[in-house]
Amino acid sequence: GGVTLSGGEPLAQPEFAAGILKKCRSAGFHTALDTCGYASWTTAREVLRHVNLVLFDFKHMNPEIHEKYTGVSNELILQNAEKIHHEMSIPMRARVTLVPGFNDSTENIRATAEFIAEKLSNAIPVHLLSYHRLGEAKWERLDRKNETAAIEIPGEKQLAECRRIFESFGLTATIGG
């Protein structure tokens, strides 16, 4: 057991995140941060000082496509992933949520696997997560059009093929997690 901060994005509230993680860790709790890594290195480092494990979300490897769908390039994000692993040596788990039509192309999956294996370490476990529809009720409550309604949920065959690609780079990949 332990305490995991997730979001939204915990690094968007760094003082709160660092404060609660510090108190939890000093009380003997295992601490984890679920992040996309989008923050200045100074901000991220201050929060990460209190973390035992990083769950790092990889969305898309192409900086232009990443920016189109998330509003920001992935350059800072990928730099932070490298710094977390190489400078802070915090154990990391890579998380990839497969969203059909966004990041599920063979090209992007291969690029993600290559980055993790070559820029980080092939000892980092990869968790492949399937896009789900749990957030659809929020669209209704906000009385807004559901912009994600047409997205299909990836099937087992697609998830297994993605796992095979990650494994071809020497990575251990798990469906779920």
Side-chain angles (χ1 to χ4, degrees):
V3 174
T4 302
L5 294 189
S6 62
E9 173 53 57
L11 293 178
Q13 299 177 30
E15 296 84 13
F16 173 78
I20 195 165
L21 289 166
K22 182 178 180 179
K23 286 182 186 266
C24 289
R25 197 164 174 187
S26 67
F29 290 102
H30 181 273
T31 58
L33 183 70
D34 183 352
T35 183
C36 75
Y38 184 73
S40 73
W41 180 241
T42 302
T43 296
R45 186 179 55 226
E46 184 57 35
V47 174
L48 290 161
R49 290 183 33 226
H50 311 291
V51 171
N52 298 109
L53 173 68
V54 175
L55 307 171
F56 202 96
D57 296 323
F58 290 89
K59 299 193 183 330
H60 205 288
M61 296 309 291
N62 179 296
E64 291 83 23
I65 294 173
H66 192 282
E67 185 169 2
K68 176 182 176 184
Y69 286 94
T70 69
V72 297
S73 170
N74 64 358
E75 293 174 28
L76 175 64
I77 291 165
L78 298 178
Q79 289 170 6
N80 283 344
E82 290 185 70
K83 289 177 180 178
I84 291 166
H85 180 72
H86 296 295
E87 292 180 23
M88 297 191 80
S89 302
I90 299 171
M92 181 185 291
R93 291 187 187 151
R95 296 166 47 98
V96 180
T97 300
L98 295 174
V99 181
F102 168 60
N103 68 349
D104 66 333
S105 70
T106 300
E107 177 185 1
N108 185 64
I109 297 302
R110 288 185 63 77
T112 306
E114 181 178 21
F115 177 85
I116 295 167
E118 295 181 7
K119 298 289 186 176
L120 302 177
S121 167
N122 65 0
I124 292 176
V126 177
H127 293 256
L128 298 171
L129 308 171
S130 179
Y131 171 79
H132 59 73
R133 300 193 183 285
L134 296 176
E136 288 188 352
K138 290 180 185 178
W139 292 99
E140 292 175 27
R141 287 195 307 268
L142 294 171
D143 198 27
R144 293 179 56 197
K145 179 183 177 217
N146 183 351
E147 298 173 14
T148 63
I151 298 174
E152 295 292 324
I153 295 173
E156 289 301 315
K157 184 177 178 182
Q158 184 180 14
L159 289 164
E161 176 58 22
C162 289
R163 180 176 60 202
R164 188 197 64 73
I165 292 170
F166 279 96
E167 289 173 346
S168 75
F169 282 85
L171 295 159
T172 301
T174 304
I175 296 173

